[in-house]
Amino acid sequence: MSDPDDKPKSHGRLQIRASVKPRDLMEEPRLVKGAFVAKVITLFPDAFPGTLGLSLTGKALDLGLWHLDPIDLRPFGEGKHRNVDDTPAGGGAGMVLRPDVVDAAFRHAREGTPVDRARWPVVYLSPRGAPFTQGTARRFAAAEGITLLCGRFEGVDQRVLDHHQVEEISLGDFVLTGGEIAAQALLDATVRLLPGVLGNAASTEEESFSDGLLEHPQYTRPATWEGQDIPAVLQSGNHAEIARWRRAQSEALTRARRPDLWEKRGR
């Protein structure tokens, strides 16, 4: 008999545990037919949903607009201690995730999913991957779901990435201790683009990167704060003038802060 103080760890809104007592069906997470599904292969399933369980993404999770399925990599490990890694071939520091272990997790994750990578991308969060952009988020949001592999240690055996045609994605030119934080950031950017999550579709049309520009500055009440006034044009009621001002501000900010984006627009 288990210790009553030995409570199972919570996975947020998706906590599921065995019980001899029938559960009220209303307690189960709802799932809208055709909802986006995110499968995350990780050594730390308790890290999810994390911030994804908060605010609009959390509400959408509760409403069944998308579904999160953390997949623990450890049970696919080898031997008594469920080893998931080994030393790098050719020598070097650190450890590398084994191809047979990751392969078993990928095979489990792909059950019931489309083979077409356009319909169901399979992604490894890696600092050497292609940069993650708003365009990438839109592409992922247009799919039926996604499988993410969160790396650890020195990385993953290249053979399993090649075998499963895994797309490598990077959040930027920096290195994290693992892919869990990167996975949450990627999913946040993707899930918010799903129908019904934000509620106001115009929000995604006017924000940064929507048309290759940084977003214009935003203001709200009070009209005067610390001796600074809201720009008069924003209080004029002239929507055409406001649109021109915002466009000019976006262009100026992009030229100053992201010359790489500005250069791309001129090509």
Side-chain angles (χ1 to χ4, degrees):
M1 185 172 179
S2 62
D3 187 338
D5 293 328
D6 186 18
K7 297 180 181 179
K9 294 182 178 179
S10 172
H11 291 267
R13 291 172 166 81
L14 293 183
Q15 179 182 358
I16 299 176
R17 51 185 169 183
S19 172
V20 294
K21 182 180 178 180
R23 298 185 62 186
D24 187 338
L25 292 178
M26 293 302 291
E27 293 181 9
E28 299 295 336
R30 288 178 286 181
L31 187 61
V32 175
K33 183 178 181 180
F36 183 89
V37 176
K39 300 189 177 190
V40 185
I41 300 171
T42 171
L43 281 168
F44 298 96
D46 286 352
F48 296 89
T51 57
L52 296 170
L54 306 175
S55 189
L56 295 175
T57 54
K59 181 179 180 181
L61 193 61
D62 283 341
L63 293 175
L65 299 181
W66 72 291
H67 177 70
L68 179 62
D69 181 15
I71 299 172
D72 190 353
L73 181 62
R74 184 66 65 183
F76 300 99
E78 293 293 314
K80 177 182 178 181
H81 299 292
R82 297 295 183 187
N83 293 325
V84 299
D85 56 355
D86 211 326
T87 54
M95 305 291 279
V96 177
L97 290 176
R98 294 171 51 124
D100 49 352
V101 173
V102 176
D103 172 69
F106 273 143
R107 291 180 184 278
H108 172 80
R110 79 181 185 191
E111 292 177 5
T113 68
V115 176
D116 185 354
R117 287 292 185 264
R119 295 174 59 193
W120 197 289
V122 178
V123 173
Y124 168 46
L125 284 308
S126 164
R128 71 180 187 188
F132 182 66
T133 66
Q134 190 69 11
T136 312
R138 283 194 291 266
R139 173 164 62 86
F140 290 162
E144 298 172 33
I146 191 170
T147 295
L148 302 177
L149 171 62
C150 299
R152 280 278 155 179
F153 317 120
E154 294 304 309
V156 181
D157 189 298
Q158 185 63 41
R159 293 170 295 179
V160 73
L161 300 177
D162 294 339
H163 181 75
H164 286 276
Q165 299 176 306
V166 178
E167 179 179 358
E168 295 188 47
I169 293 291
S170 169
L171 256 60
D173 297 336
F174 55 89
V175 179
L176 299 170
T177 55
E180 286 74 20
I181 293 175
Q184 289 193 26
L186 182 151
L187 287 175
D188 185 279
T190 299
V191 168
R192 65 191 298 278
L193 298 177
L194 299 175
V197 173
L198 289 188
N200 182 4
S203 296
T204 62
E205 296 172 2
E206 299 174 357
E207 59 194 9
S208 289
F209 310 112
S210 59
D211 60 354
L213 294 172
L214 298 182
E215 188 177 19
H216 54 78
Q218 297 282 7
Y219 300 88
T220 188
R221 291 177 291 185
T224 301
W225 179 80
E226 293 291 324
Q228 301 179 73
D229 296 330
I230 292 176
V233 65
L234 298 179
Q235 303 181 80
S236 67
N238 188 326
H239 297 294
E241 285 298 321
I242 292 172
R244 280 192 287 270
W245 180 88
R246 286 175 169 171
R247 181 72 179 191
Q249 290 290 313
S250 290
E251 292 178 351
L253 282 171
T254 305
R255 282 197 302 269
R257 299 182 182 180
R258 291 295 302 275
D260 56 321
L261 291 177
W262 186 254
E263 183 180 352
K264 286 180 181 179
R265 287 180 57 83
R267 291 177 183 175

